[in-house]
Each structure stands twice: as structure tokens, then as C-alpha cells.
Amino acid sequence: MKPIIAGNWKMNGLAASVAEVEALIAKFAGSAPDDRDVLICPPATLVANLAAKFSDEAIQFGGQDCHANSSGAHTGDISAEMLADAGAGFVIVGHSERRADHGESDAVVRAKAEAVLRTGLTPIICVGETEAERKAGKALDIVGAQLKGSLPETVDNIVIAYEPVWAIGTGLVPTNDDIAEMHGFIRTKTRKDTRILYGGSVKPGNAVEILAIADVNGALVGGASLKAEDFYPIVMAAQGED
Ligand code: PGA
């Protein structure tokens, strides 16, 4: 399975951030390796610019969210069709920050994932438990329920990202056994060929270890994706497709 190393820039990035992508490509000595998918999800304002500028470089670009409808009276929202038109190949949906900041339910996340599939793009559907839920021994139940509620009907071309909420931006990471347990569990709920990413404080120093865990088919990287010098070693830490 071809791993995906995806950078989630969140609400960071201005026109000058083109320089970070250039620096990343320079580290690849020309073009990103094609035995792994290298993806950057910048803020929506930058997708068209970056996708046009780096169309030959084997780096792909994606959105961080979309509306479930294709167009209409939804001030401030962006549709999957618009992201596709801007050159995106993927769209993150159901990130825990959207679930928390915007009250997105599993049903909303599913509708967004369906919208992404409708445009021919690939949704990266995020799930993950809070610290209290893990401490209460409910992590598998919570993630199981999120998958049941958030996955679209057709799961041919989806990516799932397991991101424990307590590991995002905190420097905390589950044990390798806990990651293996959760990814193995998610595998039982999806297809054999669905890529399951781990996200939450992935850094150059822990990426090799995390990416070697069974059923971890890539990473969703926040803070460490903002600088080429951090993101590059994470991209290279993935075992490329045979
Ligand atoms: P982090 O964020 O790598 O900064 O922990 C991951 C994410 O939220 O996707």
C-alpha cells in the first residue's frame, strides 16, 4: 500500500509560505519520491496558487474542510467542487478541531465525505478519542462509533486518520501498542486496502517508529509540516510502496 504523508497546515500560511514548499522540493533534489503520496493541506487561500505552481513536482495539495453542498447561500464556506477546481486532490474532513470548534457531528462529517467523493477527490476522514475517553477505557468504542457515523456509504476511495485528540499539538503520543491496537481495530471496520493514517505529535524523532507499526499507512502531521526541515524527514521515514 502506498503510504501518505500529509501535512495539515491548519490556519497557518501566507503567500510567502511558497518558500517552504520550494525548500521541501529542494530537499527531494527535484521531485518528491513517487513510492509515497506527499500531500500538503494549506489554508484554502493557498491551494490554487500552490497546486498551480508545483503541478510537476509530485507533491499533492488538499483542503482542510469543505461544505457538503456544491454551491449556494453559505457565506464563508467552500465546496469540494471549489477545492477540486483549485487543484486539490484530497480534503480532510471531521478533524477534531472542526468537530470541537464548529460542533460538527458524525452525520455532518459523513455528508462532507460524500461531497468529497462526489467530486472525485479523496476524503481523509478523522476520528479519535479525547483523553477522558481513553482514561475511561472507551477509546475503541468512541472511534468505532465515529467510524459508523462518519464513513460514507462507498468506501472505495477513502483515507482514515486516527488522531487521538489528546495527542494533537501536545507532544504526547500513544504507546506503539495502543496505536497498533487502534489501527488493527479500524482495519476490521474498513477495507483491506484503505489507508489508515496516524496523527498527533508526529515529529522527525518518532516518525520512523510510528510509521513501522502494523496498519499505520502514513501520517497526518500538523505542527511539524510547517517547516521543510521537519516535514522532509517525516516524509522519508515512511516505507515506500514495494
Ligand atoms: P500535530 O497535529 O502534528 O501538530 O499534533 C496533527 C493534526 O491535528 O492533524
Side-chain angles (χ1 to χ4, degrees):
M1 219 183 295
K2 198 175 190 179
I4 307 182
I5 306 298
N8 172 13
W9 283 9
K10 309 191 179 186
M11 199 170 72
N12 300 290
L14 300 170
S17 309
V18 165
E20 277 316 315
V21 183
E22 277 165 352
L24 183 66
I25 289 164
K27 287 182 185 294
F28 291 133
S31 188
D34 60 7
D35 61 351
R36 63 206 70 203
D37 283 322
V38 183
L39 170 67
I40 293 176
C41 301
T45 48
L46 290 180
V47 171
N49 184 13
L50 295 180
K53 193 164 169 65
F54 300 107
S55 60
D56 298 335
E57 313 289 357
I59 292 191
Q60 302 175 73
F61 295 92
Q64 299 175 8
D65 175 52
C66 67
H67 196 279
N69 293 358
S70 47
S71 63
H74 303 287
T75 302
D77 279 318
I78 291 171
S79 68
E81 282 77 359
M82 291 169 179
L83 289 165
D85 188 48
F90 293 78
V91 185
I92 298 169
V93 295
H95 190 282
S96 63
E97 287 153 15
R98 299 240 19 124
R99 289 178 186 262
D101 295 355
H102 300 271
E104 292 187 5
S105 65
D106 289 333
V108 166
V109 175
R110 171 186 274 163
K112 292 181 174 200
E114 299 280 10
V116 177
L117 289 171
R118 180 181 72 216
T119 65
L121 304 189
T122 303
I124 300 177
I125 303 160
C126 301
V127 293
E129 82 286 356
T130 63
E131 186 174 23
E133 289 161 348
R134 173 148 296 264
K135 284 198 171 138
K138 291 194 206 143
L140 295 183
D141 288 350
I142 294 291
V143 168
Q146 287 174 338
L147 290 171
K148 198 158 188 279
S150 312
L151 294 193
E153 209 151 296
T154 318
V155 291
D156 289 357
N157 182 33
I158 65 166
V159 174
I160 296 171
Y162 167 56
E163 298 204 304
V165 177
W166 52 274
I168 294 175
T170 58
L172 301 173
V173 190
T175 64
N176 291 351
D177 284 351
D178 284 344
I179 295 176
E181 180 188 42
M182 184 61 82
H183 280 242
F185 171 73
I186 295 171
R187 176 68 63 215
T188 66
K189 307 283 179 199
T190 187
R191 291 166 51 125
K192 276 209 310 282
D193 59 354
T194 297
R195 291 179 287 184
I196 307 171
L197 315 186
Y198 169 78
S201 295
V202 176
K203 307 285 176 206
N206 62 18
V208 170
E209 204 183 327
I210 292 172
L211 287 163
I213 298 171
D215 284 315
V216 173
N217 312 117
L220 182 54
V221 185
S225 70
L226 294 171
K227 290 268 165 239
E229 65 183 52
D230 294 329
F231 195 46
Y232 173 76
I234 299 174
V235 170
M236 298 319 288
Q239 300 271 335
E241 189 181 42
D242 292 336

